[in-house]
Amino acid sequence: MTLSDTDPSELEFTDAERVFDGMGVSRGIAIGVVHRHDADAITVAEYCVPKGQVGAEKARFAAAVDRAGAEIGTMRTAAAGLDGSAAEELGYLLDAYQAMLHGSRLVRGVERRIETEHLNAEAAVNQEIADIARSFEAMEDAYLAARVVDIRDIGRRLLRSLTNTTYRPFSVLPRHAVIVAEELTPADTALLDPRRVAGLATVLGGAESHTAIMARSLGLPAVLGAAGLMRSVRPLQTVIVDGGAGRVIVNPSAATLTAYRKKRADYLRFRRTLARLKDVPAVTRDGARILLQANVELPGEVESVLAAGAEGVGLLRSEFLYMNRDDLPGEEEQTAVLTTLVQRMNGRPVTVRTLDVGGDKLARSLGVVPGPNPALGLRAVRLCLSRPELLETQLSAMLRASAFGPLRILVPMISTVEEIRAVREIMENVARRLSRAGIKIAEPMPPLGVMIEVPGAALAADALSWHADFFAIGTNDLTQYTLAIDRADESVAHLYNPLHPAVLRLIQFSAQAALRARIPVSVCGEVAGDPRFAALLLGLGIRDLSMSATNIPVVKQRIRSIDLVAATRRARVIMDQSDSARIAHLLDSFNEGEG
Ligand code: PEP
Ligand code: MG
């Protein structure tokens, strides 16, 4: 029995081959079987409660109601800390949730079902929610009818509380599973085990969303934005995901399957050829040495980072430590994870970024309630400075890990000089506390760097360069904020363009500020891992690129074919242009042989 928002009457099944086009966000071919991920579905047991245990069952339900109420209470407190209208809106919603949990029809209905039908509490909740949902959906008033979402949400909370489990999707998967979902959150993606999962395909999501980034890091072929997909797939159907072409083929014909098996073998051969580049240096034809480092989303990636020949970790997204859990990671836990990573990298530099939750990356353990516009809200460094204890714990762990190898600390979403100064002050205080306690940290202290990913930071790069020990240019957010395009929204994905002259000027401006201030500068957004952009980034003065480990070989191959003098000349021509299409043409023609 499941509680799900998917209406079975909307499903369209056919045994014929069906092709869905979307955005290919992670290359490779997956051939596997469908595993439908219905985010809202929770499977519950249904059984009869013996007469003598009805009281105990009701008490178990009451305890679950209390726990769910406490959870909402925590969210209410967090909501109160938000600005004006957001606090008010969320406050109303959470009050309504509380009301649904106390003496409401829902609670009374569940108790009655336990008492009279002798149903176990989980099944009683499920049935009661289904009944209430039906009456809501029948309402004429569209606003009230839409409240069915809230009813279901309360139902899910109660079920989770009753089953006493933190819901863990993907814990049971068929071999060669292809995850097919309406949408996958980065936290969901973090739970995918690449040894069992062959690929993924979703209806929603943008090419630079963190879900896409994680798919690339895990080396999983992925297509996002495949409209209509969820209406047409059944569990265990055969499915092909072509991550290069952005195509999903459900129930492929024998001929299609044969063609794709060959395509897959060709792709794997191509990857094996590239892997031979592991130990050769990334040097341009005219001898410029380029540093190629890896972005890491999950600690499990270290093996593939080393296998790809990465010269360091250029960006460790520390969010993984906070995902899929109800509590916060403490200093000891964080120190242990970071120390292991630094040791595994064996003398290669590791750049650890402080917490960057917000936007599409949420962590329920933080109790952060998304504001009206999460991408512009209390996220990343803003959140950390509003809750300095979070930052203190992270910085302390990073400083302690710095005793075991070269470590740099990077701060996301900086938009003002005051923010980086405030972080530095906290870091210095934490360092003093550690040294008073006799705990060893790196001497001198690890460099403290700034992510340039907000247009205002790029334009103020000169001033920021006086306060930062290095820059890391985050082109994913820089493009999103410069062009006002949500990077996770497939409906505007065609407008997302890092080759827009405004974005390129901000990259150039930031790189020049760093070069003038003689501080290191890298690019760690997704363009760094795309060989198409390599010549342009090099031409703009960038010598340090950090990317998903899977992309290192192909970028290295491109770099070894570039003449830096020619690339610099071409970058100059490109920077004189005002039209993205012309820029793309100038870059592509250079890539195709002129350089
Ligand atoms: C970026 O914004 O370019 C970046 C590297 O950070 P993230 O993708 O984690 O936001
Ligand atoms: Mg970013």
Side-chain angles (χ1 to χ4, degrees):
M1 194 164 61
T2 61
L3 176 77
S4 164
D5 283 345
T6 310
D7 179 351
S9 64
E10 284 177 15
L11 297 175
E12 297 163 5
F13 295 137
T14 140
D15 283 331
E17 171 176 306
R18 304 219 29 201
V19 178
F20 298 87
D21 284 323
M23 267 172 295
V25 300
S26 177
R27 287 191 68 191
I29 311 276
I31 304 176
V33 296
V34 169
H35 173 84
R36 277 183 72 104
H37 172 63
D38 294 296
D40 296 317
I42 299 181
T43 308
V44 300
E46 186 175 23
Y47 52 85
C48 202
V49 177
K51 211 169 171 193
Q53 281 171 30
V54 163
E57 191 65 5
K58 279 174 68 184
R60 196 166 74 84
F61 173 61
V65 170
D66 285 349
R67 278 195 299 274
E71 201 181 295
I72 291 165
T74 311
M75 288 167 74
R76 186 78 176 80
T77 313
L82 293 172
D83 277 350
S85 62
E88 206 173 319
E89 253 327 287
L90 274 159
Y92 287 140
L93 181 69
L94 295 172
D95 287 346
Y97 275 26
Q98 287 289 20
M100 279 189 253
L101 283 174
H102 292 105
S104 62
R105 166 180 163 188
L106 167 64
V107 173
R108 287 195 311 276
V110 173
E111 285 171 347
R112 186 181 43 75
R113 283 176 198 270
I114 299 174
E115 242 167 54
T116 58
E117 296 171 32
H118 291 190
L119 265 184
N120 62 311
E122 291 87 345
V125 168
N126 235 356
Q127 293 195 2
E128 194 58 33
I129 292 286
D131 263 12
I132 301 179
R134 263 193 296 278
S135 49
F136 264 71
E137 275 162 349
M139 287 181 189
E140 301 257 304
D141 183 314
Y143 176 79
L144 287 177
R147 293 308 94 212
V148 71
V149 175
D150 302 331
I151 296 284
R152 289 210 164 106
D153 191 40
I154 284 290
R156 274 190 295 277
R157 281 176 195 284
L158 281 173
L159 288 177
R160 273 171 209 167
S161 173
L162 273 168
T163 45
N164 213 6
T165 48
T166 307
Y167 174 52
R168 263 192 114 70
F170 318 118
S171 42
V172 187
L173 286 178
R175 271 176 66 74
H176 306 297
V178 169
I179 310 295
V180 179
E182 189 70 17
E183 184 172 22
L184 277 180
T185 64
D188 288 335
T189 316
L191 296 174
L192 298 180
D193 177 354
R195 284 166 307 183
R196 287 205 79 82
V197 175
L200 53 97
T202 69
V203 176
L204 304 177
E208 308 308 331
S209 63
H210 287 91
T211 301
I213 291 174
M214 284 176 120
R216 287 193 279 272
S217 294
L218 294 168
L220 291 177
V223 173
L224 307 188
L229 184 62
M230 275 302 262
R231 282 203 302 276
S232 313
V233 290
R234 256 188 303 235
L236 300 181
Q237 267 182 325
T238 304
V239 60
I240 296 171
V241 176
D242 183 342
R247 178 157 286 195
V248 183
I249 305 169
V250 179
N251 218 7
S253 69
T256 307
L257 211 48
T258 309
Y260 267 97
R261 285 201 178 112
K262 175 164 183 326
K263 211 170 163 185
R264 183 165 185 275
D266 291 346
Y267 181 72
L268 294 176
R269 203 168 312 114
F270 163 69
R271 296 283 321 173
R272 278 196 297 275
T273 315
L274 281 181
R276 293 196 202 117
L277 292 176
K278 176 177 177 254
D279 296 317
V280 302
V283 254
T284 61
R285 275 196 349 240
D286 43 354
R289 184 75 170 80
I290 310 299
L291 188 65
L292 298 188
Q293 303 195 74
N295 291 352
V296 169
E297 278 71 51
L298 300 166
E301 287 170 40
V302 174
E303 291 314 317
S304 51
V305 166
L306 293 168
E311 294 172 84
V313 172
L315 169 65
L316 176 72
R317 292 180 163 101
S318 61
E319 296 78 70
F320 72 85
L321 280 160
Y322 294 75
M323 285 178 181
N324 296 306
R325 59 193 289 170
D326 294 314
D327 58 342
L328 289 172
E331 181 176 324
E332 294 307 318
E333 178 185 340
Q334 297 200 39
T335 305
V337 172
L338 296 180
T339 302
T340 307
L341 185 88
V342 167
Q343 287 172 327
R344 292 283 294 115
M345 290 307 291
N346 200 14
R348 299 176 189 85
V350 174
T351 302
V352 188
R353 187 173 70 183
T354 58
L355 190 57
D356 184 17
V357 293
D360 64 335
K361 288 178 290 190
L362 295 176
R364 90 177 157 260
S365 55
L366 288 162
V368 178
V369 184
N373 193 339
L376 303 181
L378 193 63
R379 57 170 294 195
V381 71
R382 303 168 186 173
L383 173 72
C384 289
L385 287 174
S386 77
R387 289 170 62 177
E389 72 285 357
L390 286 174
L391 199 54
E392 281 160 13
T393 308
Q394 278 215 306
L395 291 173
S396 192
M398 291 174 195
L399 289 173
R400 287 170 64 180
S402 74
F404 297 88
L407 183 145
R408 307 194 304 174
I409 299 176
L410 177 60
V411 189
M413 284 288 291
I414 288 283
S415 53
T416 68
V417 162
E418 287 70 32
E419 285 166 336
I420 189 64
R421 282 170 54 180
V423 174
R424 194 180 289 282
E425 200 179 312
I426 295 175
M427 179 170 100
E428 282 165 358
N429 286 339
V430 171
R432 273 193 288 276
R433 178 173 58 71
L434 288 172
S435 89
R436 274 198 302 276
I439 296 173
K440 198 164 170 278
I441 65 170
E443 182 73 64
M445 260 210 285
L448 182 67
V450 161
M451 290 264 327
I452 303 286
E453 52 184 347
V454 175
L459 292 168
D462 274 320
L464 284 168
S465 71
W466 304 327
H467 298 273
D469 300 322
F470 65 96
F471 279 170
I473 304 176
T475 48
N476 308 336
D477 278 317
L478 192 58
T479 307
Q480 154 167 276
Y481 291 122
T482 304
L483 304 181
I485 304 291
D486 184 340
R487 58 193 268 198
D489 182 348
E490 69 290 343
S491 68
V492 285
H494 60 291
L495 298 170
Y496 183 96
N497 182 13
L499 288 180
H500 189 293
V503 179
L504 295 182
R505 282 181 192 142
L506 292 176
I507 296 174
Q508 182 186 42
F509 199 77
S510 315
Q512 286 178 348
L515 296 175
R516 271 194 301 275
R518 296 182 194 284
I519 59 170
V521 54
S522 65
V523 170
C524 60
E526 292 303 289
V527 296
D530 186 341
R532 183 183 182 209
F533 294 90
L536 178 55
L537 295 175
L538 265 50
L540 293 177
I542 303 289
R543 301 288 179 269
D544 181 349
L545 299 171
S546 189
M547 66 202 76
S548 175
T550 44
N551 288 344
I552 288 181
V554 67
V555 171
K556 190 186 278 184
Q557 185 188 45
R558 173 70 190 119
I559 283 171
R560 289 173 65 83
S561 70
I562 291 173
D563 181 283
L564 186 59
V565 175
T568 309
R569 219 179 296 125
R570 180 54 58 105
R572 245 181 253 132
V573 176
I574 285 177
M575 294 312 292
D576 282 339
Q577 309 302 316
S578 52
D579 171 36
S580 316
R582 174 91 187 122
I583 291 174
H585 171 74
L586 283 166
L587 181 58
D588 292 338
S589 61
F590 184 80
N591 288 339
E592 278 155 23
E594 291 175 27

